[in-house]
Amino acid sequence: MMSSLKEICAGLPLDPLPPNRGRDPSIPHAPVRTPNLTPEEERLALRNALRYFPPNLHATLATEFAQELRQYGHIYMYRFCPTLRMRAYPIDQYPCRTRQAASIMLMIMNNLDPAVAQFPQELVTYGGNGQAFSNWAQFWLVFHYLSIMTEEQTLVMYSGHPLGLFPSLPSSPRCVITNGMVIPNYSSREEYEKMFAMGITMYGQMTAGSYCYIGPQGIVHGTMLTVLNAGRRYLGSGDLRGRVFVTSGLGGMSGAQAKAAVIAGCVGVIAEVDEAPLKKRHEQGWLMEITSDLSHCIQRIREARKAKMALSLGYHGNIVDLWECLYQEYKKTGELLVDLGSDQTSLHNPFSGGYYPVQLAFRQASQLMKTDPERFKTLVHESLRRQVAAINKLSDAGMFFWDYGNAFLLEAQRAGAEVEKKGGGATEFKFPSYVQHIMGDIFSLGFGPFRWVCTSGDPADLAETDAIATAVLEEISSTVTERVRQQYSDNIRWIREAGKHKMVVGSQARILYSDQRGRVSIALAINQALAKGRVSAPVVISRDHHDVSGTDSPFRETSNVYDGSAFCADMAVQNFVGDAFRGATWVALHNGGGVGWGEVINGGFGLVLDGSEEAGKRAKLMLNWDVSNGVARRCWSGNANAYETIQRTMEDQLQLRVTMPNPVQEDQILDRALQG
């Protein structure tokens, strides 16, 4: 085992070259990309790929790389896919000079673990096209650099490409990552496909390209909170027994929906066109039942509603068929069988496998997107119009629907579907995004997805950190307002039940939603436990980029910012920079993520806790900034919750001074001034 990890850290295997085994037919693979390169651009893509290798190998590799480019739309370099089983090995097994570098290695390998990654051989972690790297040469080079790195060097990553190790300070990040930083006027979806094929940029999604994905557990928790809070807002109760939630997608991120529905206590019905993720979630135990028969699906919904049982039911078929069937059932019987609805297909990537039109079977669609992309695009738009038409009718009957931040309403609008909100602003549609109606208030209170990874790989360490976090939250919850206490209560319940629900896939990781005070307190308590030996190895703390401060996304994270700045990205960029010089072990800044390329700027971090006093100082300084930045921005935009939150934070932190807004009290002042 150790020798295999040593081999991976030795650099690209060139003498002899490893055998070209091609694609492994036993695992899922990314859809074929259609970059539509010109002959000159194809030459450039090939030239760019070959520059990772010495000239004596170019003739051998050029032919197979050209074949990959034409067959799959990208040069993944399958020959160099390691034979070592990808997983998060215990930190002490990585041959490194620093534990910070070993932690980054562990997190990368977790992102590419077949149990975690959506398309591991294409280096896609989740979301259909969320890459950890662009090709396997980059993976080998990164591991070599990390193995020789000292605490006075920083690894610089340009969209998957390791630019190299550069001298820096011990207090500097050990790795700085940027993904997809394209000049704004050239940040179109079409340009991206060409640039990715040429190997010069990369779509890192959120935690794929920042090496901080922890499997679907993260989105299970977020989805559970969303469904619970949707029940409170729309149905008047967090008790969801007998309530039905209908949605789609069981792939990388969306795969969490089945588990989240059961934990929330409702009947979750999730449509999925691809049989592979359906089977994967069923084998995991996250999906309780599967049916491909719409009549049986309707029957099971009725039975589960009546029995008020928690159920996750996977419908193997197209979500459009399911929505239309539910409407026909309502029309025929007068019985509305769905209370809550959403969608988690990968509509940030609608024409390359993120969405399958209802008019075609799965395999037909997969073929057509490759052979006739324009026809495929037309069918996607037709399908979206049908989907929205059915949702609109069910909504008129009393169902509550929200956009889950996957660009569903944005793409539906582009398809000509009826999603317009009369008199709405630039980020508003007929249905709200889950940030606008459900989770936005939580962000404004400073709550967001905080997570940690126990690098020992020992479940006992995770159990200990769970107990630490629970104790911290229970202590804090007795001193906060009722609104904040409800969020603490939800998260205490989550963490107590997380072990029972078998949330861990891949690394020994945990996620919960916490505010600034909770995050800092949990990190410091874990660091003290490390110092006392109660936790056996370093712990990496991190968060999803989908957070209070990490993401500027006008159709998701900042969709409830109404001062006109929803399309500005200062917050995410400042967060990345501020985390870097306040103590993060690594930082990342991305174009795209969730809603899609060119639609969002987002960033994240990893910070290694090792029990030292220095680690505690870094965690306290960085985590306070990492939350306060976004709360202050939301306060300035006019959010009342954020105003109260940042006021209380300034009372606790005397060195914090935030510019507070003075809202216009009388609109007549504006009217008179503009009329004059």
Side-chain angles (χ1 to χ4, degrees):
M1 180 64 63
M2 195 65 180
S3 63
S4 296
L5 284 170
K6 281 184 177 177
E7 285 172 14
I8 280 183
C9 292
L12 273 164
L14 303 175
D15 188 16
L17 283 173
N20 185 8
R21 295 178 303 276
R23 281 184 161 196
D24 179 350
S26 69
I27 60 173
H29 289 281
V32 172
R33 310 190 74 91
T34 53
N36 296 317
L37 299 182
T38 65
E40 190 51 44
E41 287 167 341
E42 283 188 329
R43 290 175 64 84
L44 190 54
L46 197 54
R47 189 188 302 275
N48 287 347
L50 290 171
R51 61 186 166 176
Y52 285 102
F53 305 94
N56 65 303
L57 297 177
H58 286 183
T60 302
L61 297 175
T63 303
E64 68 189 60
F65 287 175
Q67 184 180 354
E68 283 186 25
L69 181 63
R70 288 181 169 161
Q71 190 171 352
Y72 306 120
H74 188 73
I75 301 171
Y76 296 105
M77 306 183 185
Y78 290 113
R79 178 192 287 269
F80 296 96
C81 182
T83 55
L84 175 67
R85 165 76 160 86
M86 287 286 174
R87 70 176 183 86
Y89 292 98
I91 188 170
D92 289 338
Q93 293 189 22
Y94 293 96
C96 295
R97 295 180 180 180
T98 79
R99 282 196 153 187
Q100 292 181 334
S103 295
I104 298 171
M105 284 186 175
L106 180 152
M107 299 291 278
I108 290 171
M109 291 193 83
N110 188 67
N111 268 26
L112 296 173
D113 181 341
V116 174
Q118 189 177 12
F119 306 124
Q121 277 202 301
E122 288 75 42
L123 302 117
V124 172
T125 302
Y126 71 90
N129 61 349
Q131 306 281 149
F133 301 102
S134 179
N135 61 57
W136 284 104
Q138 294 171 348
F139 170 88
W140 286 88
L141 287 172
V142 165
F143 267 62
H144 176 61
Y145 282 135
L146 289 171
S147 71
I148 63 172
M149 172 192 285
T150 71
E151 291 189 354
E152 293 184 334
Q153 289 173 304
T154 292
L155 175 60
V156 176
M157 297 294 301
Y158 278 20
S159 293
H161 169 67
L163 193 66
L165 292 174
F166 291 79
S168 61
L169 298 169
S171 59
S172 303
R174 297 281 70 82
C175 184
V176 174
I177 304 160
T178 52
N179 283 310
M181 293 292 109
V182 173
I183 305 300
N185 281 355
Y186 305 90
S187 190
S188 69
R189 189 178 283 154
E190 294 72 25
E191 289 291 337
Y192 167 72
E193 290 295 343
K194 285 180 176 284
M195 286 189 275
F196 180 60
M198 290 190 286
I200 53 175
T201 196
M202 189 182 87
Y203 187 68
Q205 263 285 357
M206 289 191 163
T207 51
S210 67
Y211 320 143
C212 291
Y213 191 58
I214 59 168
Q217 176 188 169
I219 194 67
V220 169
H221 182 45
T223 304
M224 182 205 75
L225 288 180
T226 300
V227 173
L228 278 177
N229 284 298
R232 289 170 185 143
R233 180 178 181 114
Y234 298 134
L235 307 176
S237 173
D239 182 356
L240 297 178
R241 288 174 295 177
R243 300 292 197 165
V244 178
F245 171 49
V246 172
T247 181
S248 58
L250 284 166
M253 293 288 278
S254 57
Q257 295 184 107
K259 192 72 171 177
V262 170
I263 296 173
C266 67
V267 179
V269 186
I270 307 99
E272 172 60 62
V273 292
D274 185 356
E275 191 175 18
L278 269 164
K279 285 184 173 178
K280 182 176 181 179
R281 299 306 174 202
H282 189 252
E283 288 165 5
Q284 273 180 331
W286 287 27
L287 189 62
M288 294 161 68
E289 298 178 17
I290 296 175
T291 181
S292 57
D293 184 288
L294 277 171
S295 298
H296 183 248
C297 186
I298 296 297
Q299 179 188 334
R300 289 299 292 134
I301 291 172
R302 281 203 168 95
E303 291 169 352
R305 281 184 85 209
K306 187 176 180 181
K308 293 192 173 184
M309 66 181 287
L311 172 69
S312 55
L313 174 62
Y315 168 60
H316 183 202
N318 198 290
I319 183 62
V320 182
D321 287 328
L322 179 57
W323 283 126
E324 290 178 342
C325 180
L326 286 164
Y327 174 65
Q328 289 303 320
E329 201 67 24
Y330 169 72
K331 196 175 172 184
K332 183 171 66 177
T333 66
E335 184 181 14
L336 184 64
L337 293 175
V338 52
D339 301 284
L340 302 170
S342 192
D343 184 279
Q344 273 204 45
T345 46
S346 295
L347 271 159
H348 65 276
N349 183 35
F351 311 121
S352 300
Y355 183 91
Y356 285 80
V358 67
Q359 305 93 319
L360 300 174
F362 178 67
R363 287 183 180 174
Q364 289 177 306
S366 299
Q367 186 67 24
L368 187 66
M369 76 174 74
K370 179 171 60 173
T371 58
D372 192 348
E374 284 306 308
R375 173 66 179 151
F376 183 79
K377 185 175 181 179
T378 299
L379 292 178
V380 166
H381 282 167
E382 287 177 8
S383 183
L384 281 167
R385 290 195 293 271
R386 276 178 59 179
Q387 184 170 347
V388 169
I391 289 168
N392 282 343
K393 290 170 185 173
L394 288 164
S395 174
D396 291 342
M399 177 192 74
F400 295 95
F401 184 90
W402 68 87
D403 182 291
Y404 216 125
N406 60 331
F408 173 69
L409 293 177
L410 183 63
E411 286 301 328
Q413 180 190 53
R414 290 167 177 167
E418 294 181 23
V419 294
E420 182 184 351
K421 179 181 180 180
K422 292 178 182 177
T427 63
E428 294 180 289
F429 297 100
K430 179 176 183 176
F431 301 107
S433 82
Y434 75 117
V435 172
Q436 287 169 326
H437 265 204
I438 304 168
M439 300 298 277
D441 281 351
I442 294 175
F443 283 167
S444 299
L445 294 169
F447 280 84
F450 179 63
R451 57 180 61 167
W452 63 90
V453 176
C454 297
T455 66
S456 65
D458 187 348
D461 278 348
L462 184 59
E464 179 65 21
T465 56
D466 280 351
I468 290 167
T470 303
V472 166
L473 295 182
E474 286 176 335
E475 183 178 345
I476 295 174
S477 70
S478 63
T479 66
V480 295
T481 64
E482 182 58 37
R483 185 190 297 159
V484 173
R485 189 175 299 116
Q486 177 68 70
Q487 301 307 320
Y488 272 92
S489 175
D490 286 346
N491 282 281
I492 290 167
R493 170 186 162 189
W494 158 263
I495 205 163
R496 279 180 175 158
E497 295 182 0
K500 178 179 77 176
H501 290 297
K502 298 178 181 177
M503 289 286 98
V504 171
V505 178
S507 59
Q508 292 293 317
R510 184 68 70 228
I511 186 172
L512 55 81
Y513 267 56
S514 183
D515 61 356
Q516 183 169 329
R517 184 178 170 193
R519 297 186 209 202
V520 172
S521 299
I522 290 169
L524 294 179
I526 290 174
N527 199 52
Q528 287 179 349
L530 281 160
K532 293 176 180 177
R534 288 168 51 202
V535 177
S536 68
V539 172
V540 174
I541 58 171
S542 182
R543 58 162 170 75
D544 195 346
H545 298 198
H546 164 67
D547 196 16
V548 182
S549 310
T551 298
D552 282 296
S553 179
F555 297 102
R556 197 162 85 170
E557 284 81 356
T558 47
S559 60
N560 67 333
V561 169
Y562 300 116
D563 68 346
S565 70
F567 292 89
C568 301
D570 300 86
M571 178 179 73
V573 175
Q574 287 280 0
N575 221 67
F576 162 80
V577 174
D579 285 353
F581 67 73
R582 286 180 174 86
T585 306
W586 71 96
V587 289
L589 185 68
H590 297 183
N591 170 10
V595 182
W597 182 265
E599 305 286 356
V600 49
I601 298 292
N602 64 88
F605 72 87
L607 194 157
V608 177
L609 299 175
D610 59 8
S612 66
E613 187 178 337
E614 172 69 15
K617 286 179 181 176
R618 286 176 178 236
K620 185 175 181 180
L621 191 62
M622 199 217 73
L623 289 173
N624 275 315
W625 154 256
D626 194 66
V627 179
S628 280
N629 171 38
V631 177
R633 183 270 178 96
R634 293 167 192 275
C635 164
W636 183 246
S637 77
N639 186 288
N641 284 338
Y643 189 102
E644 293 175 17
T645 302
I646 205 70
Q647 281 276 35
R648 286 197 302 272
T649 307
M650 283 193 286
E651 291 167 8
D652 292 339
Q653 297 182 18
L654 299 180
Q655 287 185 301
L656 177 66
R657 285 291 170 265
V658 170
T659 305
M660 303 297 281
N662 297 289
V664 174
Q665 302 295 328
E666 299 177 34
D667 282 354
Q668 294 169 339
I669 295 172
L670 307 180
D671 296 336
R672 286 196 298 269
L674 293 169
Q675 287 166 6

